[in-house]
């Protein structure tokens, strides 16, 4: 269905496994577009406004933008507790094929937070031929991100009931194949195992398109964080072409209100 003008929204795929896809275009019947690979859990909702502003900017430049809610998230069908990384990569490939069938070929990707590793994995595993890959505040270690996510549960339990949960105890429950509720999301041990195995340095391999990596910082004159610099050096040593930019702004992925960052949008 067409929502309005150059905005097209549809559910694609088999009943019970349908994906919600949203394609914004500058008009016309064909062209190139950028696939947005979303971040994890609630971070996806926190950055929707920023993605919309990015899409509007891209359309003014004559490019389309394709967004997809991965299985078990957003408006797509399925349960979050049943989500797996391989399925998400398949979802992204399916959405790109749908966009191409409408005349809008995916030639770029924007990976946000965990979406950065998913975008890298998609390009390598599915042999996507892209002209550019943009990364916004990329997660470099899936395991570290999961630990940070579990800390939300730990802190909430302490504030609400004084319970003394730990990340280690929650991980033990997940390893026992129990489902753990975190910030309204039913997290499964299988998905955690998948994400634990994700690593940006390992995921990126030649041949790979040029990368533009954006980090949000309080002070753009500050030195690049040592950990980030080590990763950039490691990737460049592998032969990857990476342009790193620090942009001033609030951390949109953890803000309590929707964040705008016109500098990030324009620079991307």
């Amino acid at each position: 269905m067409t929502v309005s003008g150059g905005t097209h929204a549809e559910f694609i795929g088999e009943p019970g496994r349908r994906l919600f896809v949203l394609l914004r275009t500058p008009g016309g019947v064909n062209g190139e577009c950028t696939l947005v690979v979303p971040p994890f859990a609630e971070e996806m909702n926190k950055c929707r406004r920023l993605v919309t502003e990015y899409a509007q900017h891209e359309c003014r430049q004559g490019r389309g933008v394709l967004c997809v809610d991965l299985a078990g998230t957003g408006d797509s069908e399925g349960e979050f507790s049943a989500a797996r990384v391989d399925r998400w990569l398949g979802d992204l490939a399916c959405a790109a094929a749908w966009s191409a069938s409408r005349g809008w070929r995916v030639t770029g990707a924007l990976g946000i937070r965990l979406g950065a590793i998913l975008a890298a994995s998609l390009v390598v595993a599915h042999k996507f031929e892209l002209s550019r890959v943009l990364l916004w505040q990329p997660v470099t270690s899936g395991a570290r991100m999961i630990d940070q996510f579990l800390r939300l549960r730990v802190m909430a339990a302490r504030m609400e009931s004084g319970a003394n949960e730990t990340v280690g105890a929650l991980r033990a429950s997940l390893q026992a194949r129990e489902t753990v509720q975190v910030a309204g999301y039913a997290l499964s041990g299988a998905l955690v195992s998948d994400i634990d195995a994700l690593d940006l340095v390992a995921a990126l391999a030649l041949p790979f398109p040029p990368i533009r990596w954006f980090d949000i910082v309080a002070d753009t004159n500050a030195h690049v964080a040592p950990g980030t610099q080590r990763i950039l050096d490691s990737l460049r040593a592998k032969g990857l072409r990476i342009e790193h930019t620090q942009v001033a702004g609030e951390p949109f992925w953890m803000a309590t209100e929707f964040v705008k960052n016109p500098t990030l949008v324009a620079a991307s």
Side-chain angles (χ1 to χ4, degrees), residues 107-125:
T107 59
L110 166 59
I112 306 173
R113 300 282 291 149
L114 184 67
I117 309 182
L118 296 179
S121 300
L122 178 71
V123 171
V124 173

Side-chain angles (χ1 to χ4, degrees), residues 211-227:
I211 297 169
R212 297 194 66 194
W213 174 321
F214 295 89
D215 279 329
I216 307 302
V217 297
D219 179 7
T220 56
N221 293 318
H223 292 297
V224 177

Side-chain angles (χ1 to χ4, degrees), residues 18-149:
R18 295 185 306 165
L19 300 172
F20 178 74
V21 292
L22 181 66
L23 175 64
R24 294 182 175 91
T25 69
V29 296
N30 57 63
E32 298 182 357
C33 75
T34 298
L35 170 65
V36 176
V37 186
F40 183 71
E42 193 60 21
E43 291 185 3
M44 174 184 68
N45 294 322
K46 291 181 181 294
C47 76
R48 286 193 188 276
R49 177 174 179 173
L50 201 53
V51 169
T52 296
E53 292 172 351
Y54 168 76
Q56 292 169 343
H57 180 273
E58 285 291 276
C59 286
R60 289 194 293 270
Q61 308 304 312
R63 291 179 58 88
V65 172
L66 171 64
C67 298
V68 54
D69 287 346
L70 303 176
T73 73
D75 290 321
S76 288
E77 295 180 340
E79 298 295 329
F80 188 80
S81 59
R84 299 296 300 269
V85 165
D86 282 349
R87 170 69 194 278
W88 284 348
L89 295 178
D91 292 344
L92 293 166
C94 180
W98 170 84
S99 182
S101 74
R102 297 193 66 95
W104 292 89
R105 184 169 59 92
V106 171
T107 59
L110 166 59
I112 306 173
R113 300 282 291 149
L114 184 67
I117 309 182
L118 296 179
S121 300
L122 178 71
V123 171
V124 173
H126 290 262
K127 300 188 184 334
F128 269 45
E129 295 184 2
L130 306 181
S131 60
R132 63 174 184 166
V133 172
L134 309 174
L135 306 180
W136 283 2
Q137 199 69 33
V139 166
T140 58
S141 165
R144 192 177 305 121
M145 188 210 70
I146 288 294
D147 283 345
Q148 293 168 349
F149 188 61

Side-chain angles (χ1 to χ4, degrees), residues 228-238:
T228 299
Q229 189 62 60
R230 284 194 295 271
I231 291 172
L232 290 168
D233 291 343
S234 175
L235 292 172
R236 287 167 177 155
K238 292 171 66 172

Side-chain angles (χ1 to χ4, degrees), residues 133-236:
V133 172
L134 309 174
L135 306 180
W136 283 2
Q137 199 69 33
V139 166
T140 58
S141 165
R144 192 177 305 121
M145 188 210 70
I146 288 294
D147 283 345
Q148 293 168 349
F149 188 61
L150 292 175
R151 287 191 190 102
L152 296 177
R153 160 77 178 252
V154 170
M155 290 186 293
R158 288 177 182 172
M159 293 177 63
E160 293 171 5
S161 64
N164 192 28
E165 288 186 320
T166 66
V167 170
L170 293 174
R171 277 194 169 277
S173 296
L174 290 163
Q175 289 171 0
R177 298 301 178 182
E178 297 177 19
T179 298
V180 173
Q181 292 286 338
V182 183
Y185 290 86
L187 191 63
S188 72
L191 179 59
V192 166
S193 179
D194 286 352
I195 294 176
D196 277 346
L198 295 177
D199 179 88
L200 186 61
V201 174
L204 288 166
L206 293 174
F208 202 87
I211 297 169
R212 297 194 66 194
W213 174 321
F214 295 89
D215 279 329
I216 307 302
V217 297
D219 179 7
T220 56
N221 293 318
H223 292 297
V224 177
T228 299
Q229 189 62 60
R230 284 194 295 271
I231 291 172
L232 290 168
D233 291 343
S234 175
L235 292 172
R236 287 167 177 155

